[in-house]
Amino acid sequence: MYSAIYSGALCGVSAYLVSVEVDIARGLPGFSMVGSLGSEVRESRERVMVALKNVGIELPPCHITVNLSPADVRKEGTAFDLPIAVGVLEAMGVLPSGAAAGMLFLGELGLDGELKKARGVLPIVRAAGAGGVRQCIVPGANAKEGAVIPDAAVRGADNICEVIAFLKAGGGEAADALLPAEKVDVGELFQRKDGVDSPDFRDVNGQTEARRAAEIAAAGFHNLLMTGPPGAGKSMIAGRIPGILPDLTLEESLEVTAVVSVAGLMKEGDALVTQRPFKSPHHTVSQAALLGGSAYPRPGIISLAHRGVLFLDELPEFQRTVLDALRQPIEEHRVNISRVSGNVTYPSDFMLVCAMNPCPCGYYPDRNRCRCTESQIRRYMGKISGPILDRVDLCVELQPVGIASLKTGAGAEGSADIRGRVMRARERQKLRFEGSGYRFNGDIEASCIDRYCGLGREEQGCMEQLYHSLRLSARAYHRILKVARTIADLDGKDRIDTEHLLEAASYRPSTEYWE
């Protein structure tokens, strides 16, 4: 007998439907699987046979053939266990013919029949809804995640016995009582987020210039580099930037959740990621871990930081090849990974925040404490390539915190006040970019600079002087204009003035060892 069951597979952060075809025929007993399968998928036959045996279902002494179509695309993962088991049961006649029609199945089977958590449920359920599949049966641990997509009814099961009982019930109220469709209130999830405590800028003493630079960076989603001695507060400021960024929209939340789900990092029972990501990899991170990869690609740290903050502390300690690999993702907001098994694209639209010491010992230019030679400082600063520096919108130097700032630190402005100004600037950007596809000033492409960052005659003369005196590249020139546009938004002005340009230019890297 023959049966065909729907399942799904991942391709980057998107998914496509897979038809699991099962045929049972007379002949020598065997269990064959075809369809360009990875090793985890091939191991499904052992898990399926043992799981069915342990729930009291013996396979007949016949030849079972399973095909996963389309057969020319490689399948990876363990989530095909459940659809294979359901297909075998329907072909055997244990389940009524057509009982699984119009349904998608997903999940890994334990040897006792338990359904284990799967990765990529959200994009697969989305693909199912787009493909006309109106019911999805997934592991109970993934039910809330899949139920965020309104196009299909998602039912969570804890073991295969529950799935069998549901399919035998034949639909209707009896079946709904066995496996009720999961319901998720997205509005409630975002309200619950508001009660989460986050680090506050009120704890940062002094560092007025760095706080201002962080505010500008947050308002326009610009890249930020902080330099200064140890203990000046670089990491402290970076950790508080997510608290002044605009909230994730539902669309952004779905994008972030899809990446986390594909990476297999969704917490059990979670439905959506509602907080902006903050990722801070150690400087020993490999290029594959940062960008994504391995033999069968998975999202890297820069994709897990999508729509959030990627913080690189001790920037010169990272391998130069690792840093230079960030050039394309910073510009294009996505990373392309090519392997023998195929090509995938992951999103990587993050705000880059970096921190570094000004020299190997950390205390330059204080020659009372710094003992580094000129060549040592040049070598240390030279670990960061010019193209990477060119992609930094704002660079600010932090000074050691004085005793006066420590005494009066309790009165510092908090994140709520800064976030209010950021949100007002963001509202101006929202109106400006309506229908353009841009979200923040940091997104503006070079071809649209004149449209959104137009200058008057006086301002054009100012920019010409800055271009020659600072020896700017074309990219740095455009970045100054984008930062000036954000500063004007923070001031509530529609037009960029000379003072906005001068402030934006003051945030360009100015250390002599980078010249």
Side-chain angles (χ1 to χ4, degrees), residues 401-446:
V401 181
I403 186 67
S405 297
L406 292 175
K407 289 182 177 180
T408 60
E413 189 177 37
S415 293
D417 297 322
I418 300 174
R419 188 172 182 275
R421 292 194 296 271
V422 169
M423 290 300 296
R424 286 191 290 274
R426 180 67 186 101
E427 285 300 318
R428 297 178 69 86
Q429 296 171 58
K430 184 177 180 181
L431 292 174
R432 179 184 304 123
F433 298 137
E434 188 173 3
S436 69
Y438 296 134
R439 306 186 189 201
F440 298 93
N441 289 330
D443 293 338
I444 303 175
E445 296 176 349

Short mmCIF file of all heavy atoms in Angstrom, two decimals, residues 401-446:
data_model
loop_
_atom_site.label_atom_id
_atom_site.label_comp_id
_atom_site.label_asym_id
_atom_site.label_seq_id
_atom_site.Cartn_x
_atom_site.Cartn_y
_atom_site.Cartn_z
N VAL A 401 37.16 57.85 34.58
CA VAL A 401 36.10 58.50 35.34
C VAL A 401 36.70 59.17 36.56
O VAL A 401 37.42 58.54 37.35
CB VAL A 401 35.02 57.49 35.75
CG1 VAL A 401 33.91 58.18 36.54
CG2 VAL A 401 34.44 56.80 34.52
N GLY A 402 36.39 60.45 36.74
CA GLY A 402 36.91 61.19 37.88
C GLY A 402 36.10 60.94 39.14
O GLY A 402 34.95 60.48 39.10
N ILE A 403 36.68 61.29 40.27
CA ILE A 403 36.03 61.06 41.56
C ILE A 403 34.75 61.89 41.68
O ILE A 403 33.76 61.47 42.28
CB ILE A 403 36.99 61.38 42.72
CG1 ILE A 403 36.36 61.01 44.06
CG2 ILE A 403 37.40 62.86 42.70
CD1 ILE A 403 36.15 59.53 44.23
N ALA A 404 34.74 63.08 41.04
CA ALA A 404 33.55 63.92 41.11
C ALA A 404 32.36 63.25 40.43
O ALA A 404 31.23 63.31 40.91
CB ALA A 404 33.84 65.28 40.46
N SER A 405 32.62 62.58 39.28
CA SER A 405 31.54 61.88 38.57
C SER A 405 31.02 60.71 39.38
O SER A 405 29.83 60.41 39.37
CB SER A 405 32.04 61.40 37.21
OG SER A 405 32.41 62.49 36.40
N LEU A 406 31.92 60.04 40.09
CA LEU A 406 31.49 58.91 40.90
C LEU A 406 30.59 59.36 42.05
O LEU A 406 29.63 58.68 42.42
CB LEU A 406 32.71 58.17 41.46
CG LEU A 406 33.57 57.42 40.45
CD1 LEU A 406 34.80 56.84 41.13
CD2 LEU A 406 32.78 56.31 39.77
N LYS A 407 30.88 60.55 42.60
CA LYS A 407 30.08 61.04 43.71
C LYS A 407 28.71 61.52 43.28
O LYS A 407 27.73 61.40 44.00
CB LYS A 407 30.82 62.19 44.40
CG LYS A 407 32.04 61.74 45.20
CD LYS A 407 32.70 62.92 45.89
CE LYS A 407 33.87 62.46 46.73
NZ LYS A 407 34.54 63.60 47.42
N THR A 408 28.63 62.07 42.06
CA THR A 408 27.36 62.62 41.58
C THR A 408 26.66 61.71 40.60
O THR A 408 25.70 62.09 39.95
CB THR A 408 27.60 63.99 40.89
OG1 THR A 408 28.50 63.80 39.78
CG2 THR A 408 28.21 64.97 41.87
N GLY A 409 27.14 60.46 40.47
CA GLY A 409 26.61 59.55 39.47
C GLY A 409 25.15 59.21 39.65
O GLY A 409 24.45 58.86 38.70
N ALA A 410 24.63 59.30 40.88
CA ALA A 410 23.24 58.90 41.13
C ALA A 410 22.25 59.77 40.36
O ALA A 410 21.12 59.38 40.10
CB ALA A 410 22.94 58.95 42.62
N GLY A 411 22.68 60.98 39.99
CA GLY A 411 21.76 61.88 39.30
C GLY A 411 21.83 61.78 37.80
O GLY A 411 21.25 62.61 37.10
N ALA A 412 22.56 60.78 37.27
CA ALA A 412 22.71 60.65 35.82
C ALA A 412 21.37 60.34 35.16
O ALA A 412 20.48 59.75 35.76
CB ALA A 412 23.73 59.56 35.50
N GLU A 413 21.26 60.73 33.88
CA GLU A 413 20.02 60.50 33.14
C GLU A 413 19.83 59.02 32.89
O GLU A 413 20.78 58.30 32.55
CB GLU A 413 20.10 61.26 31.82
CG GLU A 413 18.80 61.28 31.05
CD GLU A 413 18.92 62.10 29.78
OE1 GLU A 413 19.98 62.06 29.15
OE2 GLU A 413 17.93 62.77 29.42
N GLY A 414 18.61 58.52 33.05
CA GLY A 414 18.33 57.10 32.90
C GLY A 414 17.97 56.71 31.48
O GLY A 414 17.76 57.55 30.60
N SER A 415 17.88 55.41 31.25
CA SER A 415 17.58 54.88 29.92
C SER A 415 16.21 55.32 29.42
O SER A 415 16.01 55.53 28.22
CB SER A 415 17.66 53.35 29.93
OG SER A 415 18.98 52.91 30.15
N ALA A 416 15.25 55.48 30.33
CA ALA A 416 13.89 55.84 29.91
C ALA A 416 13.87 57.20 29.22
O ALA A 416 13.20 57.39 28.20
CB ALA A 416 12.96 55.83 31.12
N ASP A 417 14.64 58.17 29.77
CA ASP A 417 14.67 59.51 29.17
C ASP A 417 15.37 59.47 27.81
O ASP A 417 14.92 60.10 26.85
CB ASP A 417 15.39 60.48 30.10
CG ASP A 417 14.67 60.65 31.43
OD1 ASP A 417 13.42 60.66 31.41
OD2 ASP A 417 15.34 60.76 32.46
N ILE A 418 16.49 58.74 27.75
CA ILE A 418 17.22 58.65 26.48
C ILE A 418 16.37 57.94 25.44
O ILE A 418 16.29 58.37 24.28
CB ILE A 418 18.55 57.89 26.68
CG1 ILE A 418 19.43 58.61 27.70
CG2 ILE A 418 19.30 57.73 25.36
CD1 ILE A 418 20.68 57.85 28.08
N ARG A 419 15.70 56.89 25.86
CA ARG A 419 14.87 56.12 24.94
C ARG A 419 13.72 56.97 24.41
O ARG A 419 13.30 56.82 23.25
CB ARG A 419 14.32 54.89 25.65
CG ARG A 419 13.60 53.90 24.74
CD ARG A 419 13.27 52.62 25.51
NE ARG A 419 12.62 51.67 24.64
CZ ARG A 419 11.31 51.65 24.39
NH1 ARG A 419 10.53 52.55 24.97
NH2 ARG A 419 10.79 50.75 23.59
N GLY A 420 13.20 57.89 25.22
CA GLY A 420 12.14 58.77 24.75
C GLY A 420 12.61 59.62 23.57
O GLY A 420 11.88 59.78 22.58
N ARG A 421 13.83 60.16 23.67
CA ARG A 421 14.35 60.97 22.56
C ARG A 421 14.64 60.09 21.34
O ARG A 421 14.39 60.50 20.20
CB ARG A 421 15.64 61.67 23.00
CG ARG A 421 15.42 62.75 24.05
CD ARG A 421 16.64 63.62 24.19
NE ARG A 421 17.80 62.90 24.68
CZ ARG A 421 18.12 62.75 25.96
NH1 ARG A 421 17.32 63.26 26.90
NH2 ARG A 421 19.20 62.10 26.32
N VAL A 422 15.15 58.89 21.60
CA VAL A 422 15.41 57.97 20.49
C VAL A 422 14.12 57.63 19.77
O VAL A 422 14.07 57.60 18.52
CB VAL A 422 16.10 56.68 21.02
CG1 VAL A 422 16.14 55.60 19.93
CG2 VAL A 422 17.51 56.99 21.49
N MET A 423 13.06 57.39 20.51
CA MET A 423 11.78 57.03 19.90
C MET A 423 11.20 58.19 19.09
O MET A 423 10.62 57.99 18.02
CB MET A 423 10.78 56.59 20.98
CG MET A 423 11.11 55.26 21.63
SD MET A 423 11.16 53.91 20.44
CE MET A 423 9.46 53.90 19.88
N ARG A 424 11.37 59.43 19.58
CA ARG A 424 10.88 60.58 18.83
C ARG A 424 11.66 60.74 17.52
O ARG A 424 11.07 61.03 16.46
CB ARG A 424 10.99 61.85 19.68
CG ARG A 424 9.93 61.92 20.78
CD ARG A 424 9.89 63.29 21.41
NE ARG A 424 11.09 63.57 22.22
CZ ARG A 424 11.22 63.22 23.49
NH1 ARG A 424 10.25 62.57 24.11
NH2 ARG A 424 12.32 63.52 24.15
N ALA A 425 12.96 60.52 17.58
CA ALA A 425 13.77 60.56 16.35
C ALA A 425 13.36 59.43 15.41
O ALA A 425 13.31 59.61 14.19
CB ALA A 425 15.26 60.46 16.70
N ARG A 426 13.06 58.29 15.99
CA ARG A 426 12.65 57.14 15.17
C ARG A 426 11.32 57.39 14.48
O ARG A 426 11.10 56.95 13.35
CB ARG A 426 12.58 55.89 16.06
CG ARG A 426 12.17 54.64 15.33
CD ARG A 426 13.22 54.22 14.32
NE ARG A 426 12.76 53.11 13.52
CZ ARG A 426 12.29 53.22 12.28
NH1 ARG A 426 12.24 54.41 11.71
NH2 ARG A 426 11.91 52.16 11.61
N GLU A 427 10.41 58.09 15.15
CA GLU A 427 9.13 58.41 14.54
C GLU A 427 9.32 59.31 13.32
O GLU A 427 8.62 59.17 12.31
CB GLU A 427 8.21 59.09 15.56
CG GLU A 427 7.61 58.12 16.58
CD GLU A 427 6.77 57.04 15.93
OE1 GLU A 427 6.00 57.36 15.00
OE2 GLU A 427 6.89 55.88 16.35
N ARG A 428 10.26 60.25 13.41
CA ARG A 428 10.55 61.11 12.26
C ARG A 428 11.08 60.28 11.09
O ARG A 428 10.74 60.51 9.94
CB ARG A 428 11.56 62.19 12.66
CG ARG A 428 11.07 63.13 13.74
CD ARG A 428 12.14 64.15 14.10
NE ARG A 428 12.35 65.09 13.01
CZ ARG A 428 11.66 66.21 12.82
NH1 ARG A 428 10.69 66.51 13.66
NH2 ARG A 428 11.92 67.00 11.81
N GLN A 429 11.93 59.31 11.41
CA GLN A 429 12.47 58.43 10.36
C GLN A 429 11.37 57.56 9.76
O GLN A 429 11.36 57.30 8.55
CB GLN A 429 13.58 57.56 10.95
CG GLN A 429 14.79 58.35 11.40
CD GLN A 429 15.79 57.51 12.17
OE1 GLN A 429 16.29 56.51 11.67
NE2 GLN A 429 16.08 57.91 13.40
N LYS A 430 10.45 57.12 10.59
CA LYS A 430 9.36 56.27 10.10
C LYS A 430 8.52 57.01 9.06
O LYS A 430 8.15 56.47 8.02
CB LYS A 430 8.49 55.82 11.27
CG LYS A 430 7.38 54.87 10.88
CD LYS A 430 6.61 54.42 12.12
CE LYS A 430 5.48 53.46 11.75
NZ LYS A 430 4.72 53.03 12.95
N LEU A 431 8.23 58.27 9.35
CA LEU A 431 7.47 59.08 8.40
C LEU A 431 8.28 59.35 7.14
O LEU A 431 7.75 59.32 6.02
CB LEU A 431 7.06 60.40 9.06
CG LEU A 431 6.04 60.32 10.21
CD1 LEU A 431 5.85 61.67 10.86
CD2 LEU A 431 4.71 59.76 9.71
N ARG A 432 9.56 59.61 7.30
CA ARG A 432 10.41 59.93 6.15
C ARG A 432 10.55 58.75 5.21
O ARG A 432 10.54 58.90 3.99
CB ARG A 432 11.79 60.37 6.65
CG ARG A 432 12.78 60.71 5.53
CD ARG A 432 14.15 61.04 6.09
NE ARG A 432 14.07 62.11 7.06
CZ ARG A 432 14.50 62.01 8.31
NH1 ARG A 432 15.04 60.88 8.74
NH2 ARG A 432 14.40 63.02 9.13
N PHE A 433 10.70 57.55 5.77
CA PHE A 433 11.00 56.37 4.97
C PHE A 433 9.77 55.55 4.60
O PHE A 433 9.90 54.45 4.08
CB PHE A 433 11.98 55.47 5.72
CG PHE A 433 13.32 56.12 6.00
CD1 PHE A 433 13.92 55.96 7.23
CD2 PHE A 433 13.95 56.88 5.04
CE1 PHE A 433 15.15 56.55 7.49
CE2 PHE A 433 15.17 57.47 5.30
CZ PHE A 433 15.78 57.32 6.52
N GLU A 434 8.59 56.07 4.86
CA GLU A 434 7.37 55.30 4.58
C GLU A 434 7.31 54.89 3.11
O GLU A 434 7.41 55.72 2.21
CB GLU A 434 6.14 56.15 4.94
CG GLU A 434 4.84 55.36 4.88
CD GLU A 434 3.66 56.17 5.41
OE1 GLU A 434 3.86 57.34 5.78
OE2 GLU A 434 2.56 55.61 5.46
N GLY A 435 7.19 53.58 2.90
CA GLY A 435 7.12 53.05 1.55
C GLY A 435 8.45 52.86 0.86
O GLY A 435 8.48 52.37 -0.28
N SER A 436 9.56 53.21 1.52
CA SER A 436 10.88 53.11 0.88
C SER A 436 11.59 51.80 1.17
O SER A 436 12.54 51.43 0.48
CB SER A 436 11.76 54.27 1.34
OG SER A 436 12.09 54.14 2.71
N GLY A 437 11.19 51.11 2.23
CA GLY A 437 11.89 49.89 2.64
C GLY A 437 12.95 50.14 3.69
O GLY A 437 13.45 49.19 4.30
N TYR A 438 13.32 51.39 3.92
CA TYR A 438 14.28 51.72 4.97
C TYR A 438 13.56 51.82 6.31
O TYR A 438 12.38 52.13 6.39
CB TYR A 438 14.99 53.05 4.68
CG TYR A 438 15.83 53.05 3.43
CD1 TYR A 438 15.76 54.10 2.51
CD2 TYR A 438 16.71 52.01 3.17
CE1 TYR A 438 16.53 54.11 1.37
CE2 TYR A 438 17.50 52.01 2.02
CZ TYR A 438 17.40 53.06 1.12
OH TYR A 438 18.18 53.07 0.00
N ARG A 439 14.33 51.60 7.39
CA ARG A 439 13.76 51.71 8.73
C ARG A 439 14.49 52.75 9.55
O ARG A 439 13.90 53.44 10.36
CB ARG A 439 13.80 50.36 9.45
CG ARG A 439 13.15 49.23 8.65
CD ARG A 439 13.10 47.96 9.45
NE ARG A 439 12.65 46.84 8.62
CZ ARG A 439 12.14 45.72 9.10
NH1 ARG A 439 12.01 45.55 10.38
NH2 ARG A 439 11.76 44.76 8.28
N PHE A 440 15.80 52.79 9.41
CA PHE A 440 16.63 53.71 10.18
C PHE A 440 17.54 54.49 9.23
O PHE A 440 17.78 54.08 8.09
CB PHE A 440 17.50 52.95 11.19
CG PHE A 440 16.72 52.18 12.21
CD1 PHE A 440 16.41 50.85 12.00
CD2 PHE A 440 16.30 52.77 13.39
CE1 PHE A 440 15.71 50.12 12.95
CE2 PHE A 440 15.60 52.06 14.34
CZ PHE A 440 15.30 50.73 14.12
N ASN A 441 18.07 55.60 9.71
CA ASN A 441 19.01 56.38 8.90
C ASN A 441 20.24 55.56 8.53
O ASN A 441 20.83 55.76 7.47
CB ASN A 441 19.45 57.64 9.65
CG ASN A 441 18.32 58.66 9.76
OD1 ASN A 441 17.46 58.74 8.89
ND2 ASN A 441 18.33 59.43 10.83
N GLY A 442 20.63 54.64 9.41
CA GLY A 442 21.78 53.80 9.13
C GLY A 442 21.57 52.88 7.94
O GLY A 442 22.54 52.33 7.40
N ASP A 443 20.33 52.71 7.50
CA ASP A 443 20.03 51.82 6.38
C ASP A 443 20.17 52.51 5.02
O ASP A 443 20.18 51.83 3.99
CB ASP A 443 18.59 51.29 6.48
CG ASP A 443 18.39 50.37 7.67
OD1 ASP A 443 19.40 49.82 8.15
OD2 ASP A 443 17.24 50.21 8.11
N ILE A 444 20.24 53.83 5.01
CA ILE A 444 20.19 54.56 3.74
C ILE A 444 21.35 54.15 2.84
O ILE A 444 22.51 54.16 3.25
CB ILE A 444 20.24 56.09 3.96
CG1 ILE A 444 19.11 56.53 4.88
CG2 ILE A 444 20.15 56.82 2.63
CD1 ILE A 444 19.18 58.00 5.25
N GLU A 445 21.04 53.78 1.61
CA GLU A 445 22.08 53.41 0.65
C GLU A 445 22.63 54.66 -0.03
O GLU A 445 22.00 55.72 -0.05
CB GLU A 445 21.49 52.46 -0.39
CG GLU A 445 21.04 51.13 0.21
CD GLU A 445 20.36 50.23 -0.81
OE1 GLU A 445 20.07 50.73 -1.92
OE2 GLU A 445 20.14 49.06 -0.51
N ALA A 446 23.83 54.51 -0.61
CA ALA A 446 24.51 55.66 -1.22
C ALA A 446 23.67 56.31 -2.31
O ALA A 446 23.69 57.54 -2.47
CB ALA A 446 25.86 55.22 -1.77
#
